[in-house]
Amino acid sequence: MILNERPIPIPLLQREALLRRLPKTHSRYHDIEKELINWKTGYSGEKNVDYYLSYLPDDQYRIMNDLRLKNKNTFQIDTLIMSQIFGLVLEIKNITGTLFFDQNTNGVIRRYKEIEEGISNPLTQAKRHRSQLMQWNLAHKLKPIPIEYLVVFSRNSTILKTNPGNEHIFKHMIYAENLEEKVAQISEKYQNPLLKGRALTQACDYLLSQRIPSYPDILKTYSIPKSDIRPGVPCPKCQALPMIRVSAAWYCSICKTYSKNAHLIAVKDFFLLMNVPLTVRDFQGFLIIEQRGVAKYLLHTLHLPADGNSKRAAQYFLPPDCILSLF
């Protein structure tokens, strides 16, 4: 049973927002474009694995995606599978080419189109996340259960190699289509159900309740000043900036499109990029709205969570689910 759908990663959305609001001539534009492709590739691989996860028996397994928790430092598990008898940490990779796992250096070399590069060792990542989860469970006084780990490659075309005699590492690496069979094999190792009755549901509910959202300061990441970010409402059809507020709609002078709700993406862009709460003044300036009364009305229709105790101007926040509502 999948307990939470895999969200689109915030860093992916942030890079999309940056590309909407930076001129193509900007010095960091192509760096952002390249990294956005990497994020989309990774997310596509995770979604592919979700398809195979859906085949696991609902009555035996609970599946949690994008689980970000904190010990001394935060750690993020791509997918955690829980049952009454064991847990399984999945590190999901969508990598093209050949990966060579070097026994001598514990490093990984990726070969693709005659180019070699060193990449992070996904086995090391999976083991580290397993260890961090076990420490987190102990600190939060959850009943200890065996925790396994796997690296799951979403592409069957990814070729895996290692030194002679080091092939045992492959027992912790699989292709996505073999996930159901591998989980069944792991299950056969354990016989004693430790999370009986409602204990499994309660443990999963607690894990999900302790997730920590992540909003990286993306402008700081790329050393981009806020003044470089172009304000305005982007056209939903041609992406031109800015649309013009005409009566009760937004109008694009480039492709002649009208839209009632085009401002929603602008509000999301503000939260994704600026990393601060939203005020009426910010809303009016970022969306380029001439009349403050119109800005206040539109902001009110979004029903955003607000800080009502502040003596300063009211501050608005994006809902945890990142969904904006007009009703």
Side-chain angles (χ1 to χ4, degrees), residues 193-295:
L194 300 171
L195 299 176
K196 299 178 182 179
R198 286 188 48 80
L200 176 59
T201 298
Q202 291 170 346
C204 293
D205 287 347
Y206 184 72
L207 280 160
L208 289 173
S209 73
Q210 295 299 303
R211 288 178 299 169
I212 300 172
S214 173
Y215 269 86
D217 190 338
I218 195 69
L219 298 185
K220 185 177 180 180
T221 298
Y222 290 106
S223 300
I224 296 173
K226 290 184 178 181
S227 57
D228 286 2
I229 301 300
R230 297 185 298 165
V233 173
C235 175
K237 184 175 181 181
C238 72
Q239 302 301 310
L241 277 169
M243 296 185 84
I244 303 166
R245 187 71 182 173
V246 178
S247 298
W250 298 95
Y251 171 70
C252 177
S253 60
I254 304 299
C255 69
K256 315 307 179 187
T257 292
Y258 283 90
S259 172
K260 289 280 189 180
N261 303 329
H263 56 286
L264 295 183
I265 190 65
V267 175
K268 280 193 175 183
D269 284 354
F270 180 89
F271 284 117
L272 288 167
L273 300 178
M274 298 307 180
N275 213 33
V276 293
L278 180 63
T279 65
V280 174
R281 182 177 179 180
D282 293 330
F283 184 86
Q284 183 179 2
F286 194 72
L287 275 66
I288 313 180
I289 300 173
E290 291 185 3
Q291 297 177 309
R292 182 176 173 85
V294 172

Side-chain angles (χ1 to χ4, degrees), residues 68-265:
R68 190 170 186 265
L69 304 169
K70 185 174 183 179
N71 286 320
K72 288 184 178 179
N73 299 307
T74 56
F75 62 100
Q76 187 160 328
I77 296 171
D78 291 337
T79 295
L80 175 62
I81 300 173
M82 291 283 288
S83 73
Q84 290 185 332
I85 56 178
F86 72 97
L88 176 60
V89 170
L90 302 185
E91 181 73 22
I92 300 171
K93 296 298 180 184
N94 187 5
I95 303 175
T96 54
T98 299
L99 301 184
F100 181 78
F101 290 78
D102 193 328
Q103 181 182 22
N104 300 313
T105 64
N106 201 33
V108 179
I109 299 170
R110 174 180 180 252
R111 296 190 181 100
Y112 183 63
K113 292 184 177 180
E114 307 302 323
I115 297 175
E116 289 190 354
E117 63 175 339
I119 65 171
S120 298
N121 190 329
L123 271 177
T124 301
Q125 293 173 319
K127 286 188 285 188
R128 182 170 60 246
H129 291 159
R130 170 184 177 267
S131 175
Q132 289 172 321
L133 178 62
M134 293 174 69
Q135 293 174 29
W136 189 92
N137 287 344
L138 183 64
H140 288 256
K141 297 182 171 56
L142 295 186
K143 188 164 186 175
I145 62 172
I147 304 290
E148 298 272 349
Y149 66 92
L150 283 176
V151 177
V152 182
F153 293 96
S154 63
R155 297 171 182 258
N156 286 7
S157 58
T158 305
I159 299 172
L160 308 175
K161 295 184 177 181
T162 190
N163 311 80
N166 195 42
E167 292 84 0
H168 64 88
I169 65 172
F170 293 139
K171 70 180 181 179
H172 291 291
M173 289 186 272
I174 62 166
Y175 295 113
E177 69 176 11
N178 300 322
L179 186 56
E180 184 180 8
E181 180 182 356
K182 184 66 174 180
V183 171
Q185 289 175 1
I186 293 173
S187 180
E188 291 175 359
K189 293 172 56 177
Y190 305 102
Q191 303 298 325
N192 184 25
L194 300 171
L195 299 176
K196 299 178 182 179
R198 286 188 48 80
L200 176 59
T201 298
Q202 291 170 346
C204 293
D205 287 347
Y206 184 72
L207 280 160
L208 289 173
S209 73
Q210 295 299 303
R211 288 178 299 169
I212 300 172
S214 173
Y215 269 86
D217 190 338
I218 195 69
L219 298 185
K220 185 177 180 180
T221 298
Y222 290 106
S223 300
I224 296 173
K226 290 184 178 181
S227 57
D228 286 2
I229 301 300
R230 297 185 298 165
V233 173
C235 175
K237 184 175 181 181
C238 72
Q239 302 301 310
L241 277 169
M243 296 185 84
I244 303 166
R245 187 71 182 173
V246 178
S247 298
W250 298 95
Y251 171 70
C252 177
S253 60
I254 304 299
C255 69
K256 315 307 179 187
T257 292
Y258 283 90
S259 172
K260 289 280 189 180
N261 303 329
H263 56 286
L264 295 183
I265 190 65

